[in-house]
PDB file of all heavy atoms in Angstrom:
ATOM      1  N   MET A 220      35.850  20.742 -24.426  1.00  0.00           N
ATOM      2  CA  MET A 220      36.249  19.717 -23.469  1.00  0.00           C
ATOM      3  C   MET A 220      35.387  19.804 -22.192  1.00  0.00           C
ATOM      4  O   MET A 220      34.966  18.724 -21.734  1.00  0.00           O
ATOM      5  CB  MET A 220      37.777  19.851 -23.088  1.00  0.00           C
ATOM      6  CG  MET A 220      38.239  18.839 -22.186  1.00  0.00           C
ATOM      7  SD  MET A 220      38.189  17.221 -22.922  1.00  0.00           S
ATOM      8  CE  MET A 220      39.783  16.658 -22.548  1.00  0.00           C
ATOM      9  N   LEU A 221      35.154  20.958 -21.715  1.00  0.00           N
ATOM     10  CA  LEU A 221      34.412  21.147 -20.465  1.00  0.00           C
ATOM     11  C   LEU A 221      33.008  20.645 -20.724  1.00  0.00           C
ATOM     12  O   LEU A 221      32.435  20.000 -19.848  1.00  0.00           O
ATOM     13  CB  LEU A 221      34.435  22.595 -19.983  1.00  0.00           C
ATOM     14  CG  LEU A 221      33.649  22.894 -18.778  1.00  0.00           C
ATOM     15  CD1 LEU A 221      34.276  22.086 -17.611  1.00  0.00           C
ATOM     16  CD2 LEU A 221      33.767  24.337 -18.401  1.00  0.00           C
ATOM     17  N   ARG A 222      32.435  20.896 -21.896  1.00  0.00           N
ATOM     18  CA  ARG A 222      31.122  20.447 -22.238  1.00  0.00           C
ATOM     19  C   ARG A 222      31.028  18.917 -22.209  1.00  0.00           C
ATOM     20  O   ARG A 222      30.110  18.348 -21.743  1.00  0.00           O
ATOM     21  CB  ARG A 222      30.669  21.049 -23.546  1.00  0.00           C
ATOM     22  CG  ARG A 222      29.301  20.716 -23.900  1.00  0.00           C
ATOM     23  CD  ARG A 222      28.920  21.482 -25.203  1.00  0.00           C
ATOM     24  NE  ARG A 222      27.513  21.620 -25.147  1.00  0.00           N
ATOM     25  CZ  ARG A 222      26.915  22.837 -25.037  1.00  0.00           C
ATOM     26  NH1 ARG A 222      27.577  23.936 -25.077  1.00  0.00           N
ATOM     27  NH2 ARG A 222      25.631  22.964 -24.959  1.00  0.00           N
ATOM     28  N   ARG A 223      32.144  18.244 -22.716  1.00  0.00           N
ATOM     29  CA  ARG A 223      32.023  16.758 -22.734  1.00  0.00           C
ATOM     30  C   ARG A 223      32.128  16.293 -21.309  1.00  0.00           C
ATOM     31  O   ARG A 223      31.506  15.322 -20.985  1.00  0.00           O
ATOM     32  CB  ARG A 223      33.236  16.268 -23.512  1.00  0.00           C
ATOM     33  CG  ARG A 223      32.997  16.291 -24.940  1.00  0.00           C
ATOM     34  CD  ARG A 223      34.082  15.500 -25.714  1.00  0.00           C
ATOM     35  NE  ARG A 223      33.993  15.795 -27.055  1.00  0.00           N
ATOM     36  CZ  ARG A 223      34.986  15.997 -27.834  1.00  0.00           C
ATOM     37  NH1 ARG A 223      36.224  15.876 -27.390  1.00  0.00           N
ATOM     38  NH2 ARG A 223      34.845  16.257 -29.202  1.00  0.00           N
ATOM     39  N   VAL A 224      32.920  16.795 -20.464  1.00  0.00           N
ATOM     40  CA  VAL A 224      33.117  16.382 -19.076  1.00  0.00           C
ATOM     41  C   VAL A 224      31.734  16.612 -18.360  1.00  0.00           C
ATOM     42  O   VAL A 224      31.242  15.692 -17.618  1.00  0.00           O
ATOM     43  CB  VAL A 224      34.160  17.210 -18.330  1.00  0.00           C
ATOM     44  CG1 VAL A 224      34.189  16.900 -16.871  1.00  0.00           C
ATOM     45  CG2 VAL A 224      35.569  16.769 -18.914  1.00  0.00           C
ATOM     46  N   SER A 225      31.053  17.731 -18.606  1.00  0.00           N
ATOM     47  CA  SER A 225      29.780  17.959 -17.943  1.00  0.00           C
ATOM     48  C   SER A 225      28.781  16.978 -18.426  1.00  0.00           C
ATOM     49  O   SER A 225      28.027  16.405 -17.574  1.00  0.00           O
ATOM     50  CB  SER A 225      29.374  19.384 -18.358  1.00  0.00           C
ATOM     51  OG  SER A 225      30.155  20.293 -17.827  1.00  0.00           O
ATOM     52  N   ARG A 226      28.726  16.591 -19.710  1.00  0.00           N
ATOM     53  CA  ARG A 226      27.765  15.554 -20.158  1.00  0.00           C
ATOM     54  C   ARG A 226      28.150  14.247 -19.617  1.00  0.00           C
ATOM     55  O   ARG A 226      27.279  13.424 -19.258  1.00  0.00           O
ATOM     56  CB  ARG A 226      27.857  15.583 -21.679  1.00  0.00           C
ATOM     57  CG  ARG A 226      27.072  16.710 -22.361  1.00  0.00           C
ATOM     58  CD  ARG A 226      27.013  16.464 -23.854  1.00  0.00           C
ATOM     59  NE  ARG A 226      26.396  17.681 -24.401  1.00  0.00           N
ATOM     60  CZ  ARG A 226      26.371  17.923 -25.645  1.00  0.00           C
ATOM     61  NH1 ARG A 226      26.956  17.100 -26.547  1.00  0.00           N
ATOM     62  NH2 ARG A 226      25.728  19.057 -26.127  1.00  0.00           N
ATOM     63  N   ALA A 227      29.411  13.942 -19.583  1.00  0.00           N
ATOM     64  CA  ALA A 227      29.885  12.640 -18.939  1.00  0.00           C
ATOM     65  C   ALA A 227      29.515  12.552 -17.532  1.00  0.00           C
ATOM     66  O   ALA A 227      29.014  11.558 -16.973  1.00  0.00           O
ATOM     67  CB  ALA A 227      31.317  12.452 -19.214  1.00  0.00           C
ATOM     68  N   ALA A 228      29.754  13.610 -16.765  1.00  0.00           N
ATOM     69  CA  ALA A 228      29.397  13.731 -15.358  1.00  0.00           C
ATOM     70  C   ALA A 228      27.879  13.529 -15.207  1.00  0.00           C
ATOM     71  O   ALA A 228      27.432  12.777 -14.366  1.00  0.00           O
ATOM     72  CB  ALA A 228      29.889  15.036 -14.780  1.00  0.00           C
ATOM     73  N   ALA A 229      27.095  14.243 -16.053  1.00  0.00           N
ATOM     74  CA  ALA A 229      25.686  14.150 -15.948  1.00  0.00           C
ATOM     75  C   ALA A 229      25.198  12.750 -16.245  1.00  0.00           C
ATOM     76  O   ALA A 229      24.339  12.173 -15.563  1.00  0.00           O
ATOM     77  CB  ALA A 229      24.941  15.145 -16.914  1.00  0.00           C
ATOM     78  N   ALA A 230      25.852  12.036 -17.232  1.00  0.00           N
ATOM     79  CA  ALA A 230      25.457  10.730 -17.473  1.00  0.00           C
ATOM     80  C   ALA A 230      25.856   9.798 -16.394  1.00  0.00           C
ATOM     81  O   ALA A 230      25.066   8.900 -16.066  1.00  0.00           O
ATOM     82  CB  ALA A 230      26.180  10.304 -18.825  1.00  0.00           C
ATOM     83  N   ALA A 231      26.905  10.044 -15.706  1.00  0.00           N
ATOM     84  CA  ALA A 231      27.346   9.132 -14.626  1.00  0.00           C
ATOM     85  C   ALA A 231      26.360   9.357 -13.503  1.00  0.00           C
ATOM     86  O   ALA A 231      25.993   8.353 -12.805  1.00  0.00           O
ATOM     87  CB  ALA A 231      28.830   9.536 -14.199  1.00  0.00           C
ATOM     88  N   VAL A 232      25.997  10.538 -13.200  1.00  0.00           N
ATOM     89  CA  VAL A 232      24.999  10.893 -12.088  1.00  0.00           C
ATOM     90  C   VAL A 232      23.682  10.183 -12.425  1.00  0.00           C
ATOM     91  O   VAL A 232      23.053   9.569 -11.584  1.00  0.00           O
ATOM     92  CB  VAL A 232      24.876  12.374 -11.889  1.00  0.00           C
ATOM     93  CG1 VAL A 232      23.735  12.583 -10.938  1.00  0.00           C
ATOM     94  CG2 VAL A 232      26.100  12.944 -11.266  1.00  0.00           C
ATOM     95  N   ALA A 233      23.229  10.250 -13.690  1.00  0.00           N
ATOM     96  CA  ALA A 233      21.941   9.688 -14.078  1.00  0.00           C
ATOM     97  C   ALA A 233      21.977   8.138 -13.912  1.00  0.00           C
ATOM     98  O   ALA A 233      21.091   7.481 -13.449  1.00  0.00           O
ATOM     99  CB  ALA A 233      21.615  10.002 -15.525  1.00  0.00           C
ATOM    100  N   ALA A 234      23.177   7.557 -14.330  1.00  0.00           N
ATOM    101  CA  ALA A 234      23.287   6.118 -14.224  1.00  0.00           C
ATOM    102  C   ALA A 234      23.343   5.695 -12.736  1.00  0.00           C
ATOM    103  O   ALA A 234      22.704   4.572 -12.450  1.00  0.00           O
ATOM    104  CB  ALA A 234      24.671   5.722 -14.931  1.00  0.00           C
ATOM    105  N   ALA A 235      23.943   6.498 -11.954  1.00  0.00           N
ATOM    106  CA  ALA A 235      24.113   6.146 -10.496  1.00  0.00           C
ATOM    107  C   ALA A 235      22.594   6.283  -9.862  1.00  0.00           C
ATOM    108  O   ALA A 235      22.272   5.371  -9.074  1.00  0.00           O
ATOM    109  CB  ALA A 235      24.999   7.071  -9.772  1.00  0.00           C
ATOM    110  N   ALA A 236      21.913   7.236 -10.350  1.00  0.00           N
ATOM    111  CA  ALA A 236      20.491   7.361  -9.808  1.00  0.00           C
ATOM    112  C   ALA A 236      19.629   6.234 -10.149  1.00  0.00           C
ATOM    113  O   ALA A 236      18.848   5.691  -9.398  1.00  0.00           O
ATOM    114  CB  ALA A 236      19.875   8.766 -10.297  1.00  0.00           C
ATOM    115  N   LEU A 237      19.733   5.802 -11.493  1.00  0.00           N
ATOM    116  CA  LEU A 237      18.952   4.632 -12.003  1.00  0.00           C
ATOM    117  C   LEU A 237      19.363   3.391 -11.147  1.00  0.00           C
ATOM    118  O   LEU A 237      18.565   2.595 -10.902  1.00  0.00           O
ATOM    119  CB  LEU A 237      19.171   4.530 -13.425  1.00  0.00           C
ATOM    120  CG  LEU A 237      18.398   5.557 -14.357  1.00  0.00           C
ATOM    121  CD1 LEU A 237      18.793   5.336 -15.779  1.00  0.00           C
ATOM    122  CD2 LEU A 237      16.874   5.409 -14.127  1.00  0.00           C
ATOM    123  N   ALA A 238      20.590   3.215 -10.983  1.00  0.00           N
ATOM    124  CA  ALA A 238      21.118   2.072 -10.255  1.00  0.00           C
ATOM    125  C   ALA A 238      20.594   2.068  -8.828  1.00  0.00           C
ATOM    126  O   ALA A 238      20.219   1.058  -8.293  1.00  0.00           O
ATOM    127  CB  ALA A 238      22.628   2.015 -10.193  1.00  0.00           C
ATOM    128  N   ALA A 239      20.536   3.255  -8.258  1.00  0.00           N
ATOM    129  CA  ALA A 239      20.020   3.342  -6.816  1.00  0.00           C
ATOM    130  C   ALA A 239      18.577   3.037  -6.795  1.00  0.00           C
ATOM    131  O   ALA A 239      18.076   2.293  -5.906  1.00  0.00           O
ATOM    132  CB  ALA A 239      20.251   4.764  -6.255  1.00  0.00           C
ATOM    133  N   LEU A 240      17.883   3.468  -7.816  1.00  0.00           N
ATOM    134  CA  LEU A 240      16.377   3.192  -7.808  1.00  0.00           C
ATOM    135  C   LEU A 240      16.209   1.674  -8.115  1.00  0.00           C
ATOM    136  O   LEU A 240      15.315   1.062  -7.486  1.00  0.00           O
ATOM    137  CB  LEU A 240      15.691   4.005  -8.970  1.00  0.00           C
ATOM    138  CG  LEU A 240      15.475   5.514  -8.658  1.00  0.00           C
ATOM    139  CD1 LEU A 240      14.897   6.172  -9.882  1.00  0.00           C
ATOM    140  CD2 LEU A 240      14.616   5.696  -7.513  1.00  0.00           C
ATOM    141  N   ALA A 241      16.929   1.096  -8.980  1.00  0.00           N
ATOM    142  CA  ALA A 241      16.818  -0.337  -9.141  1.00  0.00           C
ATOM    143  C   ALA A 241      17.195  -1.066  -7.860  1.00  0.00           C
ATOM    144  O   ALA A 241      16.515  -2.167  -7.540  1.00  0.00           O
ATOM    145  CB  ALA A 241      17.806  -0.770 -10.284  1.00  0.00           C
ATOM    146  N   GLY A 242      18.089  -0.624  -7.073  1.00  0.00           N
ATOM    147  CA  GLY A 242      18.445  -1.237  -5.889  1.00  0.00           C
ATOM    148  C   GLY A 242      17.382  -1.134  -4.874  1.00  0.00           C
ATOM    149  O   GLY A 242      17.066  -2.096  -4.177  1.00  0.00           O
ATOM    150  N   LEU A 243      16.657   0.033  -4.860  1.00  0.00           N
ATOM    151  CA  LEU A 243      15.618   0.154  -3.965  1.00  0.00           C
ATOM    152  C   LEU A 243      14.439  -0.773  -4.329  1.00  0.00           C
ATOM    153  O   LEU A 243      13.785  -1.455  -3.457  1.00  0.00           O
ATOM    154  CB  LEU A 243      15.018   1.625  -3.990  1.00  0.00           C
ATOM    155  CG  LEU A 243      15.817   2.620  -3.339  1.00  0.00           C
ATOM    156  CD1 LEU A 243      15.162   4.053  -3.468  1.00  0.00           C
ATOM    157  CD2 LEU A 243      15.930   2.317  -1.805  1.00  0.00           C
ATOM    158  N   ALA A 244      14.124  -0.895  -5.618  1.00  0.00           N
ATOM    159  CA  ALA A 244      13.105  -1.883  -6.093  1.00  0.00           C
ATOM    160  C   ALA A 244      13.487  -3.231  -5.659  1.00  0.00           C
ATOM    161  O   ALA A 244      12.588  -4.020  -5.214  1.00  0.00           O
ATOM    162  CB  ALA A 244      12.878  -1.758  -7.556  1.00  0.00           C
ATOM    163  N   ALA A 245      14.716  -3.641  -5.801  1.00  0.00           N
ATOM    164  CA  ALA A 245      15.172  -4.936  -5.447  1.00  0.00           C
ATOM    165  C   ALA A 245      15.074  -5.234  -3.938  1.00  0.00           C
ATOM    166  O   ALA A 245      14.628  -6.272  -3.537  1.00  0.00           O
ATOM    167  CB  ALA A 245      16.555  -5.245  -5.950  1.00  0.00           C
ATOM    168  N   ALA A 246      15.405  -4.199  -3.218  1.00  0.00           N
ATOM    169  CA  ALA A 246      15.296  -4.308  -1.718  1.00  0.00           C
ATOM    170  C   ALA A 246      13.920  -4.521  -1.347  1.00  0.00           C
ATOM    171  O   ALA A 246      13.605  -5.269  -0.393  1.00  0.00           O
ATOM    172  CB  ALA A 246      15.925  -3.028  -1.074  1.00  0.00           C
ATOM    173  N   ALA A 247      12.983  -3.757  -2.009  1.00  0.00           N
ATOM    174  CA  ALA A 247      11.541  -3.836  -1.666  1.00  0.00           C
ATOM    175  C   ALA A 247      11.011  -5.310  -1.938  1.00  0.00           C
ATOM    176  O   ALA A 247      10.384  -5.852  -1.152  1.00  0.00           O
ATOM    177  CB  ALA A 247      10.712  -2.905  -2.420  1.00  0.00           C
TER     178      ALA A 247
END
Side-chain angles (χ1 to χ4, degrees):
M220 179 67 132
L221 183 58
R222 186 174 208 113
R223 281 192 193 139
V224 170
S225 296
R226 285 185 183 168
V232 168
L237 288 173
L240 288 174
L243 285 177

